[in-house]
């Protein structure tokens, strides 16, 4: 007579996968530095060997601040980072202040978008980089698939920044995040796609902002009659600021 | 290694059918021409009749010698002891057997390398150089590793390997093979065919020593390759340049050196084009040369066909040996970044691939300098003293400051901007004249736009005091 198997035994078998479990990642992930985000990412951090797509409109919302703590962690490994087609000029001292090693940072700013995608593919295929950041405003699904395939063969942490309107397109990237501004200077992160069950809640992340909460030393004050017109704006800004970062 | 078709293959690439002419008669013909009936000794007019499209070339011993020299340089990657004769390359491989893992491997590698460069060869291995030469010339690819098998193989060789006079004399005696000649009494033989022929045989059989002059690797690497016809096709140029890079790789291997910069001169009828290739570090890897060369040749435009190529290694230095890592750890990726950056530079150009370094200047535009990706001499720049006390700096700087409208006394960009921190006065660059040239007097603010972007804006202190957007906090 067969003994009845309990449900718990079946679920404990290694060849049974529960749909609410996040997929384990074969390579060690890179902790992002934000606890709510790490809790929702498979493996507990940014995945290697997978393309992570970050959808954000324009620049200035804090998308780089989301990624920079992880890049600073790569400094101890001594590996290179590559920026391809950045939207503006790199301000060296600011990147250094965020913990990125400038001696191991290279920038590729090609004139044509096609060259940027070629450079990204070559960089991923070589496996020589620790991290890659690529800005591609117009890229189609086939090119994203090629980048994902190239990333799968290396242990680079690869980020692709695209405009937010691409959220309705299908993409072969292993991880997709949609960023938008939330109240009081924080960032609302929607995990559109990850290796595991879909994430239903919106995460609120507080990236590092240029002003900290109790930073009174840089309070805005008017500097004389030339800016007299700002008086009302000043008081409004100051009171708003104390509320904003409470 | 014997190259029977050297006179033909020294001129490459060649259209087929083709043949080499000496003294008005065909000396060597390639496969297609000999199928048409053009064989050795046929006159030029007869050859043209048999194969109208045949390409005929005069025999040039200088070109053959140059080709053999290039091959000898390439063979430096296999063994440092090389000797040359008119159409044979002798490599002393006894000392390199263990590195290559046996005779078969080294012979296979050598044959493959020579065939890749477009030469056809027959090779043989023997304990004596003359024995190996004779065995290769008679196309017996024999592999004799000791004296006994050498004697056996040499005994079967026809007497045509000996000089002509001796061979004719021996034919009258009825000796057909070297084995038969050895059985004749030596004193009488010496009187009839002369001592030199006997000495040759003794050298081949290993009874007396046979010192050969060693091929001396040139001190500076500068080889010229004459193209038989003017070429304007990047693919054909790459094929021809591959011979030169193979020779360079072998020469570097023989001298245990690496190259950091080399120049390829493309000589045309009028003028010369120069391609200079630079590498991030000393390298002796032939594939890297070829990759970078391919990218550069693809983007090159020539105004007239190229007649000859010359490769000169400009910066050569001794290459330190590198030990393999026992475990595959992250540090092994550091060596792979240099070929990647080289490839990107070769395809996109030097100004599109760069590194940034901080510079001590209060002016934000000048605080970041660009350097070449391989520039190791650039010191790690320090930020200007005192910037730590100022406002935080943005990650991105606009290429040119964007002028902002002023509405109701407030800067406006898609909505009124809310000033959160500042002003931070930056005044610097008084040695340059005027705001445009770099004499700055600005008040910087951190502003929040209505679409929740964080911006770095400034207001000029001089009149007219306009507002500008200079950076973005990402």
């Amino acid at each position: 007579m067969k003994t009845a198997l309990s449900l718990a035994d079946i679920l404990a078998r290694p060849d049974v996968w529960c749909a609410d479990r996040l997929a384990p990642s074969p390579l060690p992930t890179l902790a992002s530095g934000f606890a709510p985000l790490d809790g929702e990412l498979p493996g507990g951090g940014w995945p290697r060997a997978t393309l992570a797509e970050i959808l954000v409109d324009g620049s200035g919302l804090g998308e780089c601040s989301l990624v920079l703590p992880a890049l600073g962690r790569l400094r101890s490994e001594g590996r290179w980072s590559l920026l391809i087609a950045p939207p503006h000029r790199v301000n060296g001292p600011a990147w250094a202040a965020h913990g990125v090693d400038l001696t191991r940072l290279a920038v590729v700013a090609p004139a044509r978008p096609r060259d940027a995608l070629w450079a990204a593919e070559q960089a991923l295929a070589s496996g020589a980089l620790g991290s890659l950041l690529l800005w591609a405003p117009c890229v189609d699904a086939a090119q994203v698939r090629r980048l994902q395939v190239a990333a799968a063969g290396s242990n680079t942490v690869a980020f692709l920044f695209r405009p937010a309107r691409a959220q309705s397109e299908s993409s072969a990237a292993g991880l997709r995040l949609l960023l938008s501004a939330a109240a009081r200077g924080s960032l609302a992160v929607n995990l559109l796609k990850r290796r595991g069950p879909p994430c239903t809640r919106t995460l609120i992340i507080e990236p590092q902002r240029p002003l900290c909460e109790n930073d009174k030393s840089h309070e805005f004050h008017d500097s004389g009659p030339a800016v007299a017109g700002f008086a009302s704006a000043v008081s409004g800004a100051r009171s708003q600021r104390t509320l904003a970062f409470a | 290694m014997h190259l029977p078709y050297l006179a033909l293959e020294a001129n490459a690439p060649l259209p087929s059918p083709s043949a080499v002419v000496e003294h008005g008669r065909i000396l060597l013909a390639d496969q297609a021409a000999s199928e048409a009936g053009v064989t050795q000794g046929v006159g030029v007019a007869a050859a043209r009749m048999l194969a109208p499209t045949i390409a005929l070339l005069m025999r040039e011993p200088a070109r053959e010698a140059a080709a053999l020299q290039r091959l000898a340089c390439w063979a430096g990657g296999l063994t440092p002891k090389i000797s040359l004769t008119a159409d044979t390359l002798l490599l002393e491989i006894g000392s390199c057997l263990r590195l290559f893992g046996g005779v078969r491997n080294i012979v296979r590698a050598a044959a493959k390398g020579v065939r890749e460069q477009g030469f056809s060869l027959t090779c043989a291995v023997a304990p004596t150089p003359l024995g190996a030469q004779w065995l290769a010339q008679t196309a017996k690819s024999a592999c004799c590793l000791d004296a006994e098998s050498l004697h056996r193989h040499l005994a079967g060789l026809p007497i045509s390997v000996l000089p002509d006079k001796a061979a004719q004399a021996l034919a009258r005696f009825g000796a057909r093979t070297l084995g038969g000649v050895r059985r004749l009494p030596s004193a009488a033989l010496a009187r009839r065919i002369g001592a030199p022929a006997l000495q040759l045989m003794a050298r081949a059989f290993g009874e007396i020593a046979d010192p050969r002059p060693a091929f001396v690797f040139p001190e500076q690497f500068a080889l010229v390759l004459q193209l038989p016809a003017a070429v304007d096709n990047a693919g054909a140029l790459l094929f021809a340049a591959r011979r030169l890079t193979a020779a360079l790789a072998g020469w570097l291997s023989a001298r245990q050196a690496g190259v950091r910069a080399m120049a390829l001169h493309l000589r045309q009828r009028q003028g010369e084009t120069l391609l200079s290739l630079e590498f991030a570090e000393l390298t002796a890897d032939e594939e890297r040369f070829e990759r970078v060369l391919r990218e550069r040749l693809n983007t090159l435009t020539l105004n007239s066909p190229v007649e000859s190529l010359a490769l000169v290694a400009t910066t050569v230095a001794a290459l330190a040996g590198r030990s393999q890592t026992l475990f595959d750890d992250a540090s092994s990726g550091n060596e792979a970044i240099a070929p990647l950056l080289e490839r990107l530079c070769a395809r996109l150009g030097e100004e599109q691939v760069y590194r940034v370094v901080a510079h001590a200047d209060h002016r934000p535009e000048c605080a970041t300098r660009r350097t070449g990706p391989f520039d190791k001499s650039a010191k790690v720049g320090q930020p200007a003293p005192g910037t730590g006390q100022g406002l935080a700096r943005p990650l991105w700087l606009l290429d040119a400051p964007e002028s902002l409208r002023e509405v109701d006394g407030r800067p406006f960009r898609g909505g009124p901007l809310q000033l959160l921190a500042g002003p931070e006065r930056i005044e610097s660059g008084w040695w340059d004249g005027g705001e445009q040239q770099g004499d700055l007097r600005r008040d910087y603010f951190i502003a929040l736009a209505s679409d929740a972007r964080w911006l770095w804006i400034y207001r000029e202190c001089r009149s007219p005091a306009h507002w500008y957007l200079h950076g973005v906090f990402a």
Side-chain angles (χ1 to χ4, degrees):
Chain A
M1 194 173 78
K2 276 205 207 144
T3 55
L5 289 172
S6 72
L7 189 59
D9 288 338
I10 297 179
L11 288 180
R13 285 169 56 140
D15 51 355
V16 169
W17 175 69
C18 293
D20 63 346
R21 231 190 285 162
L22 292 176
S25 64
L27 290 169
T29 56
L30 193 61
S32 68
F34 301 102
L37 187 60
D38 278 340
E40 295 290 337
L41 288 176
W46 297 116
R48 297 187 201 239
T50 308
L51 189 65
E53 217 178 277
I54 300 185
L55 303 169
V56 63
D57 264 330
S59 52
L61 282 179
E63 68 278 2
C64 286
S65 311
L66 194 66
V67 164
L68 279 182
L71 291 194
R73 244 162 263 216
L74 281 178
R75 191 186 183 136
S76 58
E77 286 183 30
R79 299 185 73 185
W80 280 67
S81 305
L82 191 63
L83 310 179
I84 302 189
H88 307 289
R89 278 207 288 187
V90 172
N91 189 16
W95 285 75
H98 276 259
V100 176
D101 187 0
L102 285 186
T103 55
R104 284 200 162 43
L105 180 74
V107 181
V108 177
R112 297 184 299 187
R114 202 155 36 110
D115 289 338
L117 291 173
W118 174 85
E121 233 183 292
Q122 294 296 313
L124 287 171
S126 75
L129 294 175
S131 63
L132 173 76
L133 279 78
L134 167 67
W135 282 264
C138 35
V139 62
D140 62 15
Q143 286 158 336
V144 174
R145 168 165 291 284
R146 281 176 66 166
L147 289 173
Q148 165 70 20
V149 167
S154 66
N155 68 341
T156 310
V157 184
F159 298 101
L160 169 65
F161 292 92
R162 287 176 77 185
R165 64 173 181 267
Q167 59 178 303
S168 52
E169 297 170 13
S170 70
S171 158
L175 182 66
R176 294 184 90 194
L177 285 84
L178 176 67
L179 302 186
S180 48
R184 307 188 302 176
S186 50
L187 208 55
V189 176
N190 273 321
L191 281 174
L192 298 178
K193 176 180 174 186
R194 63 174 176 179
R195 293 225 165 99
C199 178
T200 45
R201 56 194 195 99
T202 304
L203 308 169
I204 303 290
I205 307 283
E206 309 264 350
Q208 185 186 356
R209 292 296 185 189
L211 293 178
C212 356
E213 203 170 304
N214 294 318
D215 196 356
K216 296 275 184 261
S217 60
H218 297 306
E219 243 185 59
F220 177 68
H221 52 274
D222 53 50
S223 55
V227 290
F230 287 64
S232 53
V234 164
S235 47
R238 198 179 296 150
S239 55
Q240 238 181 21
R241 198 166 62 83
T242 40
L243 271 181
F245 296 101
Chain B
M1 294 192 288
H2 176 64
L3 298 136
Y5 289 96
L6 182 61
L8 195 59
E9 287 154 354
N11 317 292
L14 284 179
S16 162
S18 50
V20 170
V21 170
E22 191 181 25
H23 304 312
R25 297 211 165 256
I26 301 286
L27 182 64
L28 280 176
D30 72 346
Q31 182 83 6
S34 41
E35 273 166 15
V38 178
T39 52
Q40 190 173 6
V42 171
V44 171
R48 277 202 212 279
M49 195 185 63
L50 287 167
T53 58
I54 198 168
L56 293 172
L57 295 151
M58 290 299 299
R59 180 167 184 216
E60 276 187 54
R63 208 179 277 178
E64 292 164 31
L68 261 188
Q69 282 225 334
R70 275 198 303 276
L71 266 186
C73 276
W74 163 82
L78 295 171
T79 168
K81 298 195 201 131
I82 304 177
S83 181
L84 297 179
T85 64
D87 56 359
T88 313
L89 206 59
L90 293 163
L91 307 179
E92 202 270 306
I93 57 174
S95 42
C96 314
L97 282 181
R98 186 173 286 200
L99 178 62
F100 284 87
V103 173
R104 275 194 210 289
N105 290 351
I106 196 173
V107 169
R108 206 179 301 149
K112 181 161 163 275
V114 172
R115 284 203 188 98
E116 267 170 12
Q117 300 194 33
F119 295 99
S120 53
L121 80 163
T122 55
C123 48
V125 179
T128 61
L130 193 56
Q133 193 176 333
W134 282 353
L135 284 171
Q137 271 170 352
T138 50
K140 276 193 199 320
S141 41
C143 184
C144 321
L145 295 175
D146 55 2
E148 198 226 299
S149 60
L150 175 69
H151 286 222
R152 215 167 356 111
H153 279 101
L154 285 181
L157 286 185
I159 53 172
S160 53
V161 298
L162 292 174
D164 285 342
K165 251 177 62 162
Q168 281 163 6
L170 284 170
R172 283 200 291 273
F173 298 156
R176 295 269 177 271
T177 64
L178 289 187
V181 174
R182 289 218 357 141
R183 280 197 287 272
L184 298 171
S186 56
L189 202 55
R191 271 202 310 273
R192 291 207 166 62
I193 63 172
L198 269 187
Q199 272 197 352
L200 273 182
M201 280 196 29
R203 284 209 194 110
F205 278 85
E207 282 143 17
I208 56 178
D210 188 0
R212 295 287 177 127
F215 172 71
V216 175
F217 289 93
E219 279 298 317
Q220 302 276 350
F221 187 86
L223 279 190
V224 180
L225 176 64
Q226 274 283 20
L227 299 173
V231 170
D232 55 359
N233 173 0
L237 275 181
L238 187 65
F239 176 77
R242 204 177 287 156
R243 290 197 174 182
L244 292 174
T245 53
L248 176 64
W251 180 82
L252 288 172
S253 169
R255 296 177 67 94
Q256 295 290 307
V259 67
R260 184 174 280 141
M262 58 185 186
L264 182 68
H265 299 256
L266 303 157
R267 296 206 178 111
Q268 298 141 327
R269 188 163 305 158
Q270 294 104 2
E272 180 179 295
T273 312
L274 178 62
L275 269 184
S276 65
L277 306 168
E278 280 199 14
F279 300 96
E281 62 206 356
L282 289 177
T283 172
D285 188 2
E286 192 186 332
E287 279 187 19
R288 255 167 101 165
F289 302 155
E290 202 182 305
R291 257 203 310 257
V292 176
L293 203 54
R294 189 184 311 140
E295 298 288 348
R296 294 293 294 273
L297 283 175
N298 277 342
T299 56
L300 187 67
T301 49
L302 293 170
N303 45 8
S304 59
V306 174
E307 294 194 338
S308 73
L309 298 173
L311 185 64
V312 177
T314 40
T315 315
V316 176
L319 193 60
R322 199 182 299 160
S323 48
Q324 301 272 56
T325 54
L326 188 57
F327 303 108
D328 183 28
D329 51 353
S331 63
S332 59
N334 282 342
E335 287 89 30
I337 190 70
L340 171 67
L341 289 178
E342 271 161 25
R343 209 171 335 141
L344 295 179
C345 268
R347 170 96 163 226
L348 302 174
E350 291 271 337
E351 61 278 351
Q352 291 182 358
V353 183
Y354 55 89
R355 273 176 47 220
V356 291
V357 75
H359 186 69
D361 196 323
H362 287 282
R363 296 173 283 179
E365 301 97 333
C366 311
T368 307
R369 288 254 169 99
R370 294 188 184 182
T371 70
F374 310 126
D375 201 358
K376 289 205 172 54
S377 61
K379 296 193 296 287
V380 175
Q382 300 299 323
T387 44
Q389 286 84 22
L391 297 177
R393 291 282 182 264
L395 287 179
W396 304 116
L397 278 184
L398 267 59
D399 290 326
E402 183 190 316
S403 160
L404 298 174
R405 275 194 303 154
E406 195 168 317
V407 169
D408 290 340
R410 293 170 75 179
F412 190 91
R413 186 177 192 254
L417 297 184
Q418 188 185 1
L419 300 175
L420 294 177
E424 184 192 1
R425 170 73 61 95
I426 296 187
E427 264 188 59
S428 183
W430 51 265
W431 50 92
D432 294 326
E435 174 80 23
Q436 297 307 102
Q437 275 77 4
D439 182 6
L440 308 186
R441 294 179 67 193
R442 298 172 177 167
D443 280 332
Y444 276 89
F445 300 88
I446 297 181
L448 187 63
S450 51
D451 51 1
R453 276 173 224 279
W454 292 69
L455 308 173
W456 203 46
I457 63 177
Y458 72 85
R459 187 168 206 252
E460 283 177 348
C461 293
R462 298 194 196 92
S463 66
H466 288 310
W467 288 93
Y468 290 91
L469 169 67
H470 202 184
V472 179
F473 292 92

